[in-house]
Amino acid sequence: NAGVTQTPKFRILKIGQSMTLQCTQDMNHNYMYWYRQDPGMGLKLIYYSVGAGITDKGEVPNGYNVSRSTTEDFPLRLELAAPSQTSVYFCASSSGTSGRHTDTQYFGPGTRLTVL
Amino acid sequence: DAKTTQPPSMDCAEGRAANLPCNHSTISGNEYVYWYRQIHSQGPQYIIHGLKNNETNEMASLIITEDRKSSTLILPHATLRDTAVYYCIVRAFNMEYGNKLVFGAGTILRVKS
């Protein structure tokens, strides 16, 4: 299993440009999440999905959009990039089952985005 | 969600046990204690979790006090590769929105040779 993969690893955008951060998981997990991490800070949840076709906002959704057309993929769209969106973006997934192995999240390697 | 309090940083000698404390005095009965760590520039990595009993796996041990208001993550023989930020997170699983983790600042653990 590759686990959670993210592309691209690095990207520089100009203000006002748009892009899509890709996230794919091969563990057949129902739940997927997008976080951002600013320098020296903890992660903040942007959007999450509990299954294909179902998404919802997290703590910091403004300036982003998501879609979940398949179980495997959860792309994050940035429209009209702003310098405040300079951050490291992490995608994560979890099985969503309760019990002893309660919903461990598996994270991707991250995408480092700079908006100039 | 219950809030957690962790020391901002700790040092540990290589080969010794690293004991990382976490206070969660407002924890609810259905909330689990999770520990994740983040090695520089990488995505967070799950370490261990528990509800009320002590837990051990191949990476670490988790000791939860009887009143569940605090816990300690133990790395039994710390190595230089264990240098990372360690996050203690308290969370109840909910089928409606899964397990949205709330990350605080964590504890920076520096393992020194």
Side-chain angles (χ1 to χ4, degrees), chain A residues 6 9-10 37 88-90 107-112, chain B residues 37-44 83-85 87:
Chain A
Q6 293 183 238
K9 287 187 170 60
F10 304 93
Q37 185 175 33
V88 181
Y89 291 83
F90 291 102
F107 285 80
T111 293
R112 284 147 187 79
Chain B
R37 74 180 182 183
Q38 187 174 24
I39 296 171
H40 182 62
S41 299
Q42 298 181 20
T83 293
V85 180
Y87 299 100

Side-chain angles (χ1 to χ4, degrees), chain A residues 12-57:
Chain A
I12 297 174
L13 283 182
K14 294 182 179 178
I15 294 173
Q17 287 186 319
S18 300
M19 75 164 294
T20 299
L21 283 67
Q22 301 291 345
C23 175
T24 300
Q25 53 92 8
D26 62 0
M27 296 173 282
N28 200 32
H29 284 170
N30 290 321
Y31 294 83
M32 295 188 75
Y33 312 82
W34 273 107
Y35 296 86
R36 61 175 285 173
Q37 185 175 33
D38 298 333
M41 308 292 286
L43 283 72
K44 292 188 177 180
L45 184 67
I46 306 171
Y47 270 95
Y48 67 97
S49 169
V50 301
I54 306 170
T55 64
D56 207 345
K57 297 177 181 179

